[in-house]
Amino acid sequence: MMFSYYVKLALISLKRTPLLSFLMVMLIAMGIGATMTTYTVNYMMSQDPIPSKSDNLYSVQIDSRGDGVDYSYLDTIPPEMTYQDAMSILKSDIPKYQAVISAIRTTVKNPAKHDTAVTREVRTTSADFFSYA
């Protein structure tokens, strides 16, 4: 009984203000679409990024800060290791395959052009990075 009353009111409103009704329906549809897109992206981003290699990938963390040094602002192990630690691991025979990846800030200039040099953050790696199958 009440549902038919609300349908009748909706039809009267649709006839009286068709543009406003169309805009309201479109905004509701866009809201549902944006919500579903956000939900889908969140679901996909929480999945395993490399399913075939996930059991073979490791991120090494070393706490090389030493005793007696006050690092009270760091609650956990630093996310990056020092250059000396990375080189020591590369020289060891522990890993079968090994690659060091780092971020550095460097100045780059195109020799063919006479533009000014720009400073950029770039990623560097060791040669073994490209030998993986």
Side-chain angles (χ1 to χ4, degrees):
M1 182 74 176
M2 288 298 289
F3 183 71
S4 62
Y5 172 73
Y6 288 132
V7 169
K8 185 193 275 186
L9 281 178
L11 290 175
I12 290 171
S13 176
L14 183 64
K15 287 179 187 175
R16 194 176 298 162
T17 55
L19 181 62
L20 182 61
S21 299
F22 173 75
L23 288 174
M24 288 173 52
V25 169
M26 290 306 296
L27 284 175
I28 291 171
M30 288 174 58
I32 292 171
T35 301
M36 292 308 295
T37 301
T38 303
Y39 177 75
T40 303
V41 167
N42 184 31
Y43 175 76
M44 294 306 290
M45 294 300 283
S46 64
Q47 299 298 312
D48 189 3
I50 310 173
S52 63
K53 294 184 178 182
S54 291
D55 56 339
N56 297 325
L57 295 176
Y58 302 98
S59 177
V60 179
Q61 289 183 311
I62 296 178
D63 191 358
S64 62
R65 295 177 287 189
D67 294 335
V69 181
D70 182 27
Y71 289 100
S72 58
Y73 61 92
L74 294 175
D75 295 336
T76 61
I77 295 174
E80 298 170 344
M81 67 174 64
T82 63
Y83 176 79
Q84 290 86 0
D85 292 335
M87 291 301 107
S88 297
I89 290 175
L90 271 179
K91 291 175 185 173
S92 74
D93 58 349
I94 296 171
K96 182 178 177 184
Y97 299 106
Q98 52 199 1
V100 174
I101 301 171
S102 65
I104 62 170
R105 198 154 188 74
T106 186
T107 304
V108 181
K109 184 175 190 294
N110 186 350
K113 295 183 179 179
H114 296 291
D115 295 337
T116 59
V118 293
T119 303
R120 296 285 187 253
E121 183 173 307
V122 297
R123 294 281 175 176
T124 62
T125 186
S126 56
D128 285 345
F129 180 82
F130 300 102
S131 65
Y132 297 124

